[in-house]
Amino acid sequence: MAAEERNSEEEKERTRELELEKLRTLLENHDAEGLHAFVADENAIDFAQQVDELSDEEIEKLTPMLTDEELGSVMEQSEEEEQTRIAKTLDNDRILNGFATMQKDDIVDMLGEMPIGRRKELINAMKADDRQIITNLLQYPGDSAGGLMTTEYIALREDRTVGQGLSKIEEIGPKTEVIETIFIVDPRRRLIGWCDLRDILSSPKDTMLRDIMHDDVISVQPETDQEETAKLVSRYDLKALPVVSATNQILGIITVDDIIDVIVEEYDEDMMQMAGVSSEESLETTLWQSVRLRLPWLLVNLATAFLASFTVRAFEGTIEKVVALSSIMTIVSGMGGNAGSQTTSILIRALSQNKLHFKDCIRPLFKEVLLAVINGAACGIVTAIVVYFMYGNVFLGIIVIMSMIGNLLVAGICGFLIPVILSQLHLDPAVSSSIFLTTATDVLGFFIFLGLATLFLPYLV
């Protein structure tokens, strides 16, 4: 099975290389007709990824050969860095022609990455209606609901019939991003409900929209954080999430494709922050920027490492008398760190999905305590057997079992409580949990093990 998957991946990679070579040949020969046929056969995201592989000189050859629709598609699907490279090869008129085929929220994302001067030039050159929409969207932070929303949606008044609604959908449907969900508003454009397109199509044409709408509307305000927005879409299985003003007037909608991007972005950010790396850093980051982003975390970890070192130093006399302790104590602290990471990972996921609240912590915490005792005893017994055959001392094995249980107990409790407490303090548990957990398992792990060794010292020498 693994061999088949590997062969399949190799085949896909060969196909990608052949397609990229074909694209480069078309550019070299200035074959516009062949290029249009090539783009038509490719999925939009796949073509954007191929453009990503091109050099700046090749992109400069490509953009004049693309139609406005093809240009808009590749700009819409490209990453920020590629959008910037493409924009550098175009004048303002050509960019605006490409914008005309793009969704408003994608235009805002691209404008947000441009130098302020050029951004203003492009906005000023837009039609008045488009300029107003784009300006309104740009005022919201990129990681907020307002920054994610698109203004291309369908909202019908409650006092319209199904027949009137269908006529309106037929008129504006081609210009909107989502037509499966139709939002219903009152005469003052306040959001009061929604209809599935299927409900409208299956209802008599003289039926009033207010009679078939659902009034259980889930909405957010433009200032809502993107992570909270993604949780709502996931929790309620929404196709589109409306964004409303303080007076409940609909401002725009957030679509599922944007939510998927948010989920991927938040996951990548959390994974990097758990490792003490900023989400701002990439392979292209300069040396000094990487130093600035990484060094503070390393210094924090260094400070916690000194705490563990001071704990070991307090028991130097015991270690000098029983040298075997120095080779065993790292096993105990390491197992505590691993066990704590397991608990922390589960807690961070539960907290991110709103599946755990502070008042509900007692029962799962009690489970973690019992789990720590069982796992600590099992790992301790296995370690004790190996230690006995290495050093032939039963009491050393007893110390290992007791300290393993103790440290895994510390790991379970700390691994549970640290994310919960950080969450209650409105801090991101994915960022800071690992530092506090490592400090607890190292310092207390060494203290428990070496403290027990000191008590049992007469039986060890």
Side-chain angles (χ1 to χ4, degrees):
M1 192 67 178
E4 291 178 4
E5 291 179 357
R6 186 165 57 252
N7 290 336
S8 176
E9 286 300 316
E10 290 174 355
E11 183 63 30
K12 289 178 182 177
E13 184 60 33
R14 281 196 295 269
T15 301
R16 282 193 292 266
E17 290 175 358
L18 289 172
E19 292 294 309
L20 183 59
E21 188 60 36
K22 182 178 179 181
L23 174 59
R24 284 185 163 131
T25 301
L26 292 170
L27 294 177
E28 190 65 31
N29 296 333
H30 300 282
D31 185 354
E33 275 191 30
L35 178 64
H36 298 322
F38 179 87
V39 174
D41 288 341
E42 290 289 308
N43 183 285
I45 186 65
D46 291 335
F47 179 62
Q49 289 176 346
Q50 289 166 357
V51 173
D52 181 23
E53 299 291 327
L54 299 178
S55 66
D56 291 347
E57 292 76 15
E58 288 170 328
I59 290 179
E60 199 163 354
K61 292 179 182 177
L62 170 71
T63 51
M65 297 170 64
L66 295 174
T67 65
D68 292 341
E69 188 173 345
E70 291 167 346
L71 177 63
S73 175
V74 74
M75 289 195 299
E76 200 167 40
Q77 297 296 336
S78 294
E79 297 294 332
E80 295 168 355
E81 185 180 341
E82 302 318 311
Q83 289 176 340
T84 302
R85 288 208 296 152
I86 292 169
K88 286 179 179 177
T89 69
L90 305 170
D91 59 30
N92 290 348
D93 288 339
R94 190 72 208 285
I95 292 180
L96 289 171
N97 291 341
F99 279 176
T101 69
M102 294 170 60
Q103 302 294 334
K104 294 292 189 297
D105 55 331
D106 293 315
I107 295 172
V108 169
D109 290 341
M110 185 167 174
L111 286 171
E113 297 301 316
M114 289 185 177
I116 294 176
R118 191 168 200 198
R119 185 194 311 168
K120 288 181 178 179
E121 289 175 5
L122 288 166
I123 292 174
N124 290 334
M126 292 178 180
K127 296 177 182 177
D129 290 346
D130 291 340
R131 180 165 62 248
Q132 183 62 46
I133 292 171
I134 296 297
T135 302
N136 289 340
L137 290 175
L138 279 169
Q139 70 179 314
Y140 300 115
D143 59 354
S144 68
L148 292 173
M149 73 179 182
T150 177
T151 56
E152 288 151 351
Y153 60 90
I154 300 177
L156 303 175
R157 282 176 46 167
E158 61 172 329
D159 54 2
R160 298 291 189 261
T161 64
V162 165
Q164 291 171 325
L166 285 172
S167 298
K168 194 67 174 176
I169 292 170
E170 185 177 356
E171 176 189 342
I172 64 176
K175 304 173 186 176
T176 60
E177 193 163 348
V178 173
I179 64 169
E180 294 87 351
T181 302
I182 311 297
F183 296 98
I184 309 299
V185 297
D186 67 11
R188 296 175 61 184
R189 286 195 59 80
R190 291 180 301 189
L191 181 63
I192 60 173
W194 62 277
C195 289
D196 193 284
L197 181 59
R198 180 168 46 190
D199 298 333
I200 295 177
L201 293 173
S202 60
S203 299
K205 291 192 175 181
D206 59 351
T207 304
M208 301 299 293
L209 289 173
R210 68 165 70 93
D211 295 330
I212 62 171
M213 76 176 187
H214 305 271
D215 58 8
D216 55 336
V217 182
I218 306 297
S219 63
V220 293
Q221 293 195 335
E223 297 80 14
T224 305
D225 184 74
Q226 65 176 14
E227 192 169 1
E228 184 62 31
T229 300
K231 290 177 185 176
L232 284 173
V233 172
S234 175
R235 181 176 181 179
Y236 295 103
D237 197 22
L238 302 175
K239 297 183 181 73
L241 178 65
V243 182
V244 299
S245 67
T247 56
N248 209 42
Q249 291 180 316
I250 185 166
L251 302 174
I253 64 169
I254 301 171
T255 56
V256 171
D257 59 327
D258 290 322
I259 291 299
I260 293 173
D261 291 340
V262 169
I263 292 172
V264 172
E265 178 186 329
E266 292 289 342
Y267 174 81
D268 290 344
E269 181 179 329
D270 286 347
M271 290 301 100
M272 294 183 75
Q273 288 178 331
M274 285 179 72
V277 180
S278 171
S279 57
E280 302 172 20
E281 187 175 359
S282 67
L283 291 175
E284 288 74 32
T285 304
T286 65
L287 172 63
W288 293 114
Q289 285 177 319
S290 292
V291 170
R292 178 178 58 82
L293 293 170
R294 295 192 198 186
L295 187 57
W297 285 103
L298 292 175
L299 291 175
V300 171
N301 287 327
L302 180 61
T304 61
F306 273 118
L307 289 176
S309 176
F310 293 150
T311 303
V312 174
R313 183 182 178 185
F315 293 94
E316 280 183 348
T318 302
I319 297 174
E320 286 176 356
K321 293 176 182 177
V322 185
V323 179
L325 297 175
S326 62
S327 63
I328 300 171
M329 62 184 184
T330 54
I331 298 175
V332 176
S333 64
M335 289 300 296
N338 292 336
S341 295
Q342 291 177 331
T343 304
T344 300
S345 298
I346 293 171
L347 260 293
I348 291 174
R349 183 175 65 179
L351 289 168
S352 69
Q353 297 173 349
N354 289 330
K355 292 183 178 179
L356 182 70
H357 302 282
F358 191 74
K359 64 181 186 303
D360 304 323
C361 286
I362 300 300
R363 184 174 178 183
L365 177 59
F366 183 67
K367 173 204 163 187
E368 288 299 325
V369 169
L370 292 179
L371 184 64
V373 172
I374 294 170
N375 288 343
C379 293
I381 289 170
V382 172
T383 309
I385 292 172
V386 175
V387 167
Y388 175 76
F389 281 108
M390 290 175 64
Y391 300 105
N393 191 310
V394 174
F395 291 100
L396 191 56
I398 294 173
I399 293 171
V400 168
I401 295 173
M402 294 171 64
S403 58
M404 191 75 78
I405 294 173
N407 200 24
L408 263 66
L409 195 58
V410 168
I413 294 172
C414 292
F416 187 99
L417 292 180
I418 288 172
V420 172
I421 293 171
L422 290 173
S423 180
Q424 287 296 303
L425 295 174
H426 304 291
L427 299 172
D428 189 349
V431 179
S432 308
S433 293
S434 60
I435 295 175
F436 294 115
L437 178 63
T438 300
T439 302
T441 54
D442 283 355
V443 173
L444 295 177
F446 289 144
F447 182 82
I448 293 170
F449 178 72
L450 295 174
L452 288 171
T454 303
L455 292 175
F456 281 84
L457 190 59
Y459 304 98
L460 299 177
V461 294

